Amino acid sequence: MQAYPPIVRPPAEAIGTLALIVGAIALLIFIGVEGALIYAVWRYRASRSSTEQPARFERNTRVEIAWTALPALVLALVFVLMLGAMAEIGGAGVEPGLRVRVVGHQWWWEFGYGAVTTANELHIPVETAVELDLTSTDVIHSFWVPELGGKSDMLPGTTNHLRLFARRAGVYEGQCSEFCGIEHAWMRIRVVAESQADFDRWLAAQGQSAAARGGDGERIFLANICVNCHTIRGTTAAGAAGPDLTHAGARATLGAGVLPNDVARMRAWIADPQQYKPGALMPRVPLSDPELDALAAYLVSLK
Ligand code: HEC
Ligand SMILES: [Cu+2]
């Protein structure tokens, strides 16, 4: 017997199907009720010559039972359909093809693929059920990439789960959707969905440690307080308060979406993060112009 792969689709499609069915039921009820009303108005209208009192009645058990039971049945049907959609969105019966650890920080994202840690840019293969294990280190955040899945709170001390599924390769935008402090609005999520081969290549590259450069940029980074907060695997920098910078140059943005990533913007960010993200938990570190140039070139070279 042939084993068929389980049918999986983007959660948004399951929600869309449910919305269409519920909409169709509502439309049928609307047509039925309005039709009966119009018919009754037309059929039982008073004739001009009539002087009779209109008919009256006080109770009709059958009608009362019908208009109680019918709505209850319709609501029960919608409830069952909704349970089905919720189970599908939750990934019932489908083993995830990939599991990613997601940790919310004020105001950036940590993504973990087994032993590989990265930040702010989530890569996933297309046509794969991806399970996210969501938690937070500080306050309540909420993970939401509308095109790829539902929305889930991220709570310190608890792990919540959320399924993502991308049908087509591309970049999908998301956003923290729980007010989590002053820079909540600049807590963007960038999801890159790509072919399995591209994804494998990306993950293999992310797994590499940074080769020692021996240059000024590396020396300045390691000699400053940057190392208290940032990790660059392959060096002595092993801080955990800020994003992992082992492959800082491979990401498209800085500061969870606040700036595009290139040498000029990298330099500007390091020179004064507070100018771009006031309140961000990275201080302005006093550095000379040549130091900033070397640092920016070094970090962007970490692909
Ligand atoms: C007190 C901890 C701390 C120190 C010290 C610190 N950073 Fe940061 N850094 C952070 C935090 C937190 C973020 C995330 C800010 C945000 O996006 O809200 C960050 C973000 C960054 C980013 C952007 C990363 C990305 O992918 O978005 C770079 C690059 C960076 N820091 C470089 C440096 C350099 C270079 C130094 C030393 C001159 C330094 N940091 C010092 C905490 C720190
Ligand atoms: Cu948040």
Side-chain angles (χ1 to χ4, degrees):
M1 231 178 75
Q2 190 182 349
Y4 288 96
I7 299 166
V8 278
R9 53 180 176 161
E13 284 181 20
I15 297 168
T17 306
L18 178 66
L20 276 181
I21 295 173
V22 173
I25 293 174
L27 185 66
L28 279 180
I29 294 173
F30 178 79
I31 291 172
V33 171
E34 295 305 307
L37 179 69
I38 291 166
Y39 172 76
V41 167
W42 170 78
R43 173 72 179 71
Y44 299 104
R45 68 194 185 283
S47 61
R48 256 178 219 138
S49 57
S50 167
T51 52
E52 282 173 53
Q53 285 290 312
R56 295 177 176 208
F57 63 89
E58 276 186 357
R59 60 173 65 95
N60 185 326
T61 315
R62 266 198 257 160
V63 170
E64 282 171 18
I65 289 177
W67 76 41
T68 308
L70 268 178
L73 273 177
V74 171
L75 287 182
L77 173 69
V78 170
F79 180 63
V80 170
L81 290 172
M82 189 195 69
L83 288 182
M86 282 174 71
E88 185 183 343
I89 293 166
V94 180
E95 273 302 306
L98 175 70
R99 191 173 277 281
V100 185
R101 186 180 70 252
V102 184
V103 185
H105 296 260
Q106 283 175 317
W107 292 275
W108 57 281
W109 308 89
E110 177 185 331
F111 298 117
Y113 301 74
V116 178
T117 300
T118 180
N120 292 338
E121 197 170 292
L122 174 66
H123 285 239
I124 59 172
V126 291
E127 296 286 342
T128 302
V130 179
E131 174 107 339
L132 303 181
D133 298 331
L134 305 161
T135 188
S136 164
T137 45
D138 37 46
V139 298
I140 300 177
H141 300 278
S142 175
F143 188 97
W144 191 35
V145 182
E147 282 176 277
L148 300 181
K151 183 196 277 189
S152 174
D153 273 3
M154 305 170 70
L155 309 160
T158 312
T159 302
N160 286 340
H161 303 280
L162 185 69
R163 283 292 171 104
L164 298 189
F165 187 91
R167 214 189 266 304
R168 280 183 296 277
V171 175
Y172 298 84
E173 300 284 342
Q175 165 74 46
C176 176
S177 65
E178 179 77 43
F179 181 70
C180 56
I182 186 166
E183 285 300 345
H184 159 70
W186 278 116
M187 193 165 163
R188 299 269 179 96
I189 310 161
R190 203 180 133 83
V191 183
V192 178
E194 54 203 354
S195 69
Q196 186 70 48
D198 286 349
F199 172 77
D200 290 342
R201 226 170 294 138
W202 174 83
L203 189 56
Q206 291 285 315
Q208 303 279 314
S209 294
R213 306 289 155 110
D216 282 349
E218 185 190 58
R219 191 180 46 72
I220 294 160
F221 188 89
L222 297 177
N224 275 283
I225 58 165
C226 319
V227 296
N228 290 357
C229 298
H230 294 287
T231 292
I232 296 181
R233 273 176 281 130
T235 73
T236 50
D244 187 300
L245 298 178
T246 312
H247 297 281
R251 298 198 275 271
T253 68
L254 296 171
V258 82
L259 286 175
N261 189 5
D262 55 34
V263 176
R265 257 65 74 99
M266 179 65 90
R267 188 188 189 285
W269 168 266
I270 301 167
D272 190 6
Q274 300 299 317
Q275 186 187 333
Y276 302 98
K277 219 168 159 176
L281 301 178
M282 169 164 162
R284 184 167 180 275
V285 180
L287 295 161
S288 68
D289 280 348
E291 282 176 323
L292 284 170
D293 291 339
L295 254 182
Y298 166 63
L299 289 173
V300 170
S301 80
L302 296 174
K303 297 283 185 190

